[in-house]
Amino acid sequence: MRVTAAARKRSVRNRAYAGRYAAGRRDGWRDGWRDGYWMGLCERTVRAAEAPLPVRDVHVMYVSTGKGFPYSPIDEAIAGSLEQLVTRLTVVERKEEAPSAAAAVRPDAVLFLDGLHVPPDIPDRIRELGIRTVIWFTDDPYYTDITASLALHYDDVFTLEANCVEFYRAAGCQRVWHLPLGFYPGHFRPQNAPAGVRCDIAFVGSGYWNRVAFFDQLLPYLKGRDLRIIGYWWERLRDYRQFASRIEGRWMTPQETALVYGGAKIVINMHREPDDGTFNSNSVGLGAVSPNPRTFEIAACASLQLTDVRSELAAYYVPGREIETYASPEELAAKIDHYLVHEDERRAIALNGLYRTMRDHSYARRLDAMLGALFG
């Protein structure tokens, strides 16, 4: 029987299709098993770290920052966490309404976050009612020129930066505590990220000058790597045009950020410098030793985190076991190369970091410590 050219072409196409189908089925089974096993490990780790927190018989009023994004997710995290910890929570969305709301419901304490845009007469009026006022400064030490005077209008001052405790005491504040930020499990946790957001290396954050200078030295080592940078101001890079296709200048929601973290094998963390004259109000030159909130958010997504070192970091994670560090572009590039080919090591550190984060560094844990300081 004569086989036509068209039939031969159909036969070739069918064999090619069958080959692709078989390869896709094989690869899909392999990848699905691998990803499912990893997510199972992550879920087991999260459950092992869970522990109940006490519920205190107190009434707390939380005054939202009212600053919108990117503060609105933190407002959500604080309110959602406090709800688990106190018998009564009142949330006030507009700071201007806080004094009248406090007069109406008489809470045991009124908590403000950030406070940079809260007129001092608002906490003053609440204090005149005999109600305790609390501020949690979230951007120390970058705006200490402003917060030094604001802090005096509150009964209790909490700061995420350990270096600022003595600073506020010297300014005249009587009750000051160090309390770092954390992560909110409603936003950050391990996820099976879709293929479209997966990559080898990710960095999320604004292009402050210290970061730009560092990446100018780092990027030549990463030319052939699967890299994503997401944030504003990265057009400052010396070789921006060469890497522009890998850079996305935008803000992301916490949920979008968590997907990027979860989809990356390695996430780079780099702290902002407290002496950046463009964006800071820190004329006294206070240094920074405490980790940024991104430290906890990355670890909560079960990705290997490579971070620059702040001296207080070891109080939160064991370097080399729960987190990995670097001190130069060359060291960072070498560790990226190492962990991309040593998957078992990479995932072991990521799981250890996930456990420590879920156990110790949630906003619920932070607020439980705050309530303990306030009410015993």
Side-chain angles (χ1 to χ4, degrees):
M1 179 173 120
R2 184 179 176 184
V3 179
T4 65
R8 285 196 294 271
K9 287 182 180 179
R10 283 197 299 273
S11 178
V12 170
R13 282 200 302 269
N14 289 340
R15 287 198 299 271
Y17 174 80
R20 289 195 299 272
Y21 176 83
R25 183 175 181 180
R26 180 191 66 239
D27 294 345
W29 185 91
R30 179 200 63 205
D31 295 346
W33 188 93
R34 180 196 61 206
D35 293 346
Y37 181 75
W38 172 245
M39 292 307 300
L41 286 176
C42 290
E43 184 60 29
R44 185 181 70 178
T45 301
V46 169
R47 292 185 182 184
E50 289 176 343
L53 290 169
V55 178
R56 288 179 168 82
D57 187 17
V58 295
H59 177 192
V60 173
M61 174 182 289
Y62 176 62
V63 183
S64 295
T65 62
K67 294 173 70 172
F69 193 81
Y71 275 85
S72 50
I74 306 178
D75 286 327
E76 180 186 345
I78 299 298
S81 301
L82 275 172
E83 210 167 26
Q84 308 169 38
L85 302 173
V86 298
T87 53
R88 186 178 177 189
L89 173 67
T90 299
V91 178
V92 176
E93 298 293 343
R94 292 172 51 84
K95 56 183 177 287
E96 296 82 5
E97 298 172 357
S100 59
V105 301
R106 305 291 307 182
D108 297 300
V110 179
L111 171 61
F112 294 82
L113 189 76
D114 177 63
L116 291 178
H117 299 285
V118 178
D121 70 292
I122 289 179
D124 287 347
R125 288 160 58 194
I126 295 172
R127 293 173 83 180
E128 289 170 1
L129 297 169
I131 298 172
R132 196 171 190 172
T133 57
V134 184
I135 183 68
W136 192 2
F137 289 124
T138 59
D139 275 316
D140 283 339
Y142 307 111
Y143 300 102
T144 45
D145 293 349
I146 304 169
T147 58
S149 59
L150 293 179
L152 295 169
H153 295 270
Y154 296 87
D155 296 301
D156 299 270
V157 176
F158 291 82
T159 171
L160 86 166
E161 173 52 52
N163 265 355
C164 285
V165 173
E166 290 304 320
F167 172 78
Y168 290 123
R169 287 175 180 166
C173 300
Q174 300 298 311
R175 296 169 58 83
V176 186
W177 289 270
H178 171 222
L179 189 69
L181 295 184
F183 84 100
Y184 185 46
H187 296 157
F188 295 93
R189 62 184 298 114
Q191 299 179 68
N192 191 18
V197 302
R198 295 195 181 194
C199 64
D200 286 344
I201 311 149
F203 178 84
V204 178
S206 300
Y208 292 111
W209 285 116
N210 69 300
R211 293 172 176 171
V212 170
F214 190 97
F215 271 81
D216 276 339
Q217 299 178 65
L218 175 67
L219 287 177
Y221 294 103
L222 303 182
K223 281 185 179 178
R225 294 297 189 187
D226 182 14
L227 169 70
R228 291 184 76 187
I229 298 175
I230 304 175
Y232 287 119
W233 308 332
W234 287 101
E235 64 276 4
R236 298 168 168 179
L237 285 168
R238 183 178 57 223
D239 297 325
Y240 173 75
R241 289 186 179 181
Q242 183 177 355
F243 292 93
S245 63
R246 311 186 202 182
I247 298 172
E248 303 166 49
R250 61 188 178 101
W251 285 105
M252 292 192 296
T253 66
Q255 292 81 0
E256 291 173 314
T257 305
L259 274 179
V260 172
Y261 291 160
K265 295 177 180 177
I266 293 172
V267 180
I268 300 171
N269 185 13
M270 188 178 304
H271 290 80
R272 171 182 171 185
E273 284 298 320
D275 59 356
D276 187 319
T278 307
F279 301 102
N280 294 346
S281 298
N282 180 23
S283 60
V284 297
L286 273 175
V289 298
S290 301
N292 59 19
R294 188 174 286 115
T295 306
F296 310 113
E297 293 166 354
I298 295 169
C301 295
S303 297
L304 174 65
Q305 179 174 178
L306 291 174
T307 184
D308 56 345
V309 179
R310 281 193 168 175
S311 58
E312 211 191 22
L313 179 67
Y316 302 93
Y317 295 100
V318 179
R321 174 173 171 78
E322 298 169 335
I323 200 168
E324 189 55 276
T325 62
Y326 62 86
S328 68
E330 294 78 14
E331 183 181 13
L332 177 54
K335 288 189 174 181
I336 288 172
D337 286 343
H338 174 83
Y339 285 111
L340 285 179
V341 296
H342 291 83
E343 185 171 342
D344 290 344
E345 290 182 41
R346 186 183 78 243
R347 288 192 159 186
I349 295 173
L351 279 179
N352 290 338
L354 172 65
Y355 177 82
R356 181 72 181 272
T357 305
M358 291 289 172
R359 189 189 71 182
D360 295 344
H361 301 317
S362 67
Y363 273 112
R365 289 283 174 189
R366 301 289 191 252
L367 290 162
D368 176 61
M370 176 186 287
L371 294 170
L374 295 175
F375 301 110

